[in-house]
């Protein structure tokens, strides 16, 4: 029986392996050539870490990295706050006037082409500047608003899915014990959906850090993000510094993902342990 299952399962493992190879082999090749001595990214001339030093001495690149990280952090945080409120309204408030329109507007950024989103936001900022004088110029603030606009839609989808799976009897039990709705949300609902909030924050952070099209429309002088710098550099020829930067980003994302998985796994095991202790008592 075991041999039969093994023979039947090897095509699935082969397809899975080919899929992972297709996805991650280019990344591994890029990381490998980040340690190349040669300036030519496709010609191996020996092991060297000099391009990492060149990367950290590039003020323009480091400035773009810092700006992108700040915008990604701020937009992801605001997107989680707004997306969570929108999710609660959609899932917990039942039917209300304009719910269909509100749902459609929340999901529209998911399917809207980035060119249309970027152009519409640009026109919005230009019109506001002409009417009320704000924003006086496009820069980090306008990029932050634009990224928050489309990121909150992704967060709302993630959090709404978790809220729909939440057992309402837990919230009802807390209200029966005297807690008001605000206390129930912060002490019962929010801790349970915390993994979804963390997942939504990571997704929004990644999307903001990766965005090029929308940022190109709403940015201004002195507010160049990392994707814009990389795109401009690649048009003139791929520099080994780009490989070094990509390697650092890949390793950083992998480390954060592993840390997030470990924390959520630890919390889940703790919750299961508490449930078993409660049943035993």
């Amino acid at each position: 029986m075991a041999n039969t299952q093994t023979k039947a399962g090897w095509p699935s493992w082969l397809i899975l392996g080919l899929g992972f190879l297709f996805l991650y082999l280019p990344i591994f090749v890029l990381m490998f050539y980040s340690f190349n001595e040669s300036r030519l990214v496709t010609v191996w001339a020996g092991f060297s870490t000099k391009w990492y030093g060149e990367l950290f001495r590039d003020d323009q690149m480091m400035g773009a990295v810092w700006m992108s990280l700040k915008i990604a952090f701020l937009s992801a945080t605001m997107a989680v706050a707004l997306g969570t409120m929108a999710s609660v309204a959609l899932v917990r408030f039942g039917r209300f006037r304009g719910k269909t329109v509100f749902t459609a507007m929340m999901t529209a950024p998911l399917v809207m082409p980035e060119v249309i989103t970027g152009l519409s936001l640009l026109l919005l900022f230009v019109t506001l500047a002409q009417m009320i004088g704000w924003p006086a110029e496009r820069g980090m603030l306008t990029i932050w608003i634009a990224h928050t606009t489309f990121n909150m839609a992704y967060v709302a989808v993630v959090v709404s899915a978790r809220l729909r799976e939440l057992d309402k009897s837990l919230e009802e039990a807390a209200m029966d014990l005297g807690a008001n709705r605000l206390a129930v949300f912060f002490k019962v609902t929010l801790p349970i959906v915390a993994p979804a909030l963390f997942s939504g924050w990571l997704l929004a952070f990644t999307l903001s850090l990766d965005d090029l099209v929308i940022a190109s429309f709403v940015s201004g002088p002195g507010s160049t993000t990392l994707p814009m710098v990389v795109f401009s550099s690649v048009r003139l020829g791929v520099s080994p510094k780009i490989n070094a930067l990509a390697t650092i980003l890949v390793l950083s994302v992998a480390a954060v993902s592993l840390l997030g998985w470990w924390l959520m796994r630890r919390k889940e095991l703790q919750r299961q342990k508490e449930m078993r202790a409660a049943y035993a008592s």
Side-chain angles (χ1 to χ4, degrees):
M1 179 66 68
N3 292 335
T4 304
Q5 293 178 350
T6 302
K7 292 180 180 179
W10 74 264
S12 300
W13 285 104
L14 178 61
I15 295 173
L16 181 63
L18 291 176
F20 278 117
L21 187 67
F22 177 79
L23 290 174
Y24 293 105
L25 182 60
I27 297 178
F28 290 139
V29 171
L30 180 147
M31 296 172 65
F32 174 76
Y33 277 104
S34 69
F35 298 99
N36 188 11
E37 174 71 24
S38 174
R39 181 175 294 274
L40 301 176
V41 294
T42 58
V43 178
W44 180 258
F47 180 85
S48 175
T49 59
K50 71 175 185 178
W51 297 113
Y52 288 87
E54 294 289 336
L55 172 65
F56 289 111
R57 286 190 292 268
D58 191 333
D59 294 335
Q60 182 186 16
M61 190 75 71
M62 289 296 98
V65 169
W66 178 237
M67 174 165 288
S68 293
L69 290 176
K70 287 192 295 183
I71 293 174
F73 177 84
L74 295 174
S75 64
T77 303
M78 182 59 69
V80 167
L82 297 177
T84 301
M85 290 189 288
S87 302
V88 173
L90 290 173
V91 178
R92 287 289 184 262
F93 287 2
R95 299 293 301 178
F96 57 86
R97 185 183 299 273
K99 182 177 181 179
T100 302
V101 177
F102 182 70
T103 304
M105 293 179 64
M106 280 301 304
T107 56
L110 300 176
V111 296
M112 190 76 67
E114 290 187 341
V115 175
I116 303 300
T117 302
L119 180 59
S120 61
L121 289 170
L122 172 61
L123 295 177
L124 172 64
F125 292 139
V126 171
T127 303
L128 288 176
Q130 294 175 350
M131 293 178 60
I132 62 176
W134 182 91
E137 60 181 13
R138 295 186 299 275
M140 179 178 172
L141 177 62
T142 54
I143 299 175
W144 170 61
I145 295 174
H147 284 189
T148 302
T149 301
F150 71 85
N151 277 334
M152 64 178 293
Y154 291 91
V155 174
V157 171
V158 175
V159 177
S160 296
R162 184 67 183 93
L163 282 175
R164 290 189 180 94
E165 297 175 357
L166 180 63
D167 189 359
K168 293 184 179 180
S169 62
L170 298 175
E171 299 173 329
E172 294 171 354
M175 287 188 287
D176 289 341
L177 294 174
N180 56 36
R181 290 186 177 274
L182 190 62
V184 169
F185 176 76
F186 282 103
K187 295 183 178 180
V188 178
T189 307
L190 203 60
I192 295 177
V193 301
L197 298 180
F198 183 71
S199 301
W201 190 92
L202 285 179
L203 178 60
F205 183 88
T206 303
L207 291 173
S208 176
L209 194 65
D210 181 63
D211 176 66
L212 171 64
V213 178
I214 296 178
S216 299
F217 278 96
V218 299
S219 63
S223 59
T224 305
T225 61
L226 179 61
M228 296 169 64
V229 173
V230 172
F231 181 72
S232 300
S233 301
V234 170
R235 292 177 63 184
L236 300 176
V238 180
S239 171
K241 291 187 294 185
I242 303 299
N243 291 349
L245 175 64
T247 301
I248 294 174
L249 290 176
V250 169
L251 295 179
S252 300
V253 170
V256 172
S257 300
L258 289 175
L259 178 62
W261 172 83
W262 180 76
L263 291 175
M264 288 189 291
R265 177 63 177 170
R266 181 182 178 183
K267 186 174 182 179
E268 180 66 20
L269 292 176
Q270 182 66 25
R271 188 182 67 84
Q272 293 178 1
K273 182 179 179 180
E274 293 175 353
M275 291 180 61
R276 288 194 296 266
Y279 287 141
S281 61

